């Protein structure tokens, strides 16, 4: 059954590689954090997160990662905006993704949480997934920082739902490492 859950997750990844463009991983020596520049700030990505792909363009930067310790996969996006309504997007993405899980016959439960990031609390929606033989979790989160005109959004998928909270903490460390 794991293949059913994985097939749905590949459908719903946030920052999948754009068709026709080769993935651009960021190399690491495995011992030092990778410095990722986004919108005038730099973020420190721990070596346990392998950056599978990334891109930067005016007003936006993103990266896709895999956690080499847990196997969780996901993405982070940094978007310049003054529109506070962007905070609704991660939850809307979670609901849309849940609809796809439902169509595929995977049981799900949406759980709302928060995660401290950049001195505030990011809105988090966890989709707990379950089949007769398997369970997993998908997460969408967002944080709007008005004084920086910055929206940070992310998603991740973990085969083991027990990794969700520790993985959110690792991603919070990345976002909180912001230096300007």
């Amino acid at each position: 059954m794991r293949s059913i859950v994985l097939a749905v997750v590949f459908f719903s990844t946030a920052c999948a590689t754009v068709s026709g463009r080769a993935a651009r991983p960021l190399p690491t020596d495995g011992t030092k954090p990778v410095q990722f520049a986004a919108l005038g700030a730099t973020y420190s990505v721990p070596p346990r997160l392998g950056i599978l792909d990334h891109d930067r363009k005016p007003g936006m930067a993103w990266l896709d990662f895999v956690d080499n310790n847990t196997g969780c996969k996901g993405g982070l996006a940094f978007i310049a905006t003054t529109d506070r309504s962007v905070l609704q997007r991660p939850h809307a993405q979670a609901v849309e993704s849940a609809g796809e899980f439902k169509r595929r016959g995977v049981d799900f439960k949406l759980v709302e949480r928060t995660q401290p990031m950049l001195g505030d609390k990011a809105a988090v929606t966890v989709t707990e997934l379950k089949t007769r033989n398997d369970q997993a979790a998908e997460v969408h989160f967002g944080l709007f920082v008005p004084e920086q005109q910055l929206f940070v959004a992310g998603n991740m998928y973990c085969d083991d739902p027990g990794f969700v909270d520790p993985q959110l903490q690792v991603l919070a460390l990345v976002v909180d490492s912001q230096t300007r």
Side-chain angles (χ1 to χ4, degrees):
M1 284 296 185
R2 187 171 299 275
S3 62
I4 292 174
V5 175
L6 287 176
V8 175
V9 169
F10 287 122
F11 169 79
S12 63
T13 55
C15 296
T17 302
V18 178
S19 297
R21 183 179 73 74
R24 297 187 302 173
L26 288 177
T28 179
D29 68 8
T31 61
K32 296 179 185 169
V34 172
Q35 301 303 305
F36 182 76
L39 305 178
T42 302
Y43 299 87
S44 182
V45 181
R48 72 183 270 177
L49 296 182
I51 299 176
L52 305 173
D53 194 9
H54 74 286
D55 200 4
R56 295 176 189 87
K57 45 181 89 168
M60 186 179 108
W62 60 265
L63 61 89
D64 282 343
F65 67 87
V66 62
D67 188 309
N68 294 313
N69 292 358
T70 65
C72 295
K73 296 178 180 180
L76 281 172
F78 305 88
I79 302 166
T81 185
T82 60
D83 181 7
R84 182 178 292 276
S85 72
V86 295
L87 276 175
Q88 298 165 0
R89 290 182 191 162
H91 179 73
Q93 288 173 333
V95 170
E96 181 180 322
S97 180
E100 183 62 23
F101 288 121
K102 184 176 182 176
R103 283 188 285 285
R104 303 266 181 150
V106 177
D107 292 329
F108 67 90
K109 177 181 173 186
L110 293 175
V111 180
E112 299 294 321
R113 300 185 188 171
T114 60
Q115 174 67 45
M117 288 185 192
L118 288 177
D120 204 344
K121 291 184 179 178
V124 178
T125 303
V126 178
T127 308
E128 298 173 353
L129 307 168
K130 197 172 198 174
T131 65
R132 186 178 311 148
N133 302 319
D134 195 14
Q135 59 182 1
E138 183 181 64
V139 179
H140 294 269
F141 66 89
L143 173 71
F144 179 67
V145 186
E147 60 273 4
Q148 294 183 29
Q149 299 177 337
L150 174 67
F151 175 57
V152 180
N155 78 326
M156 67 181 180
Y157 173 82
C158 297
D159 283 334
D160 182 336
F163 288 134
V164 166
D165 289 330
Q167 196 68 52
L168 274 170
Q169 292 169 6
V170 170
L171 296 179
L173 288 173
V174 172
V175 174
D176 287 343
S177 72
Q178 180 190 77
T179 56
R180 296 180 110 355

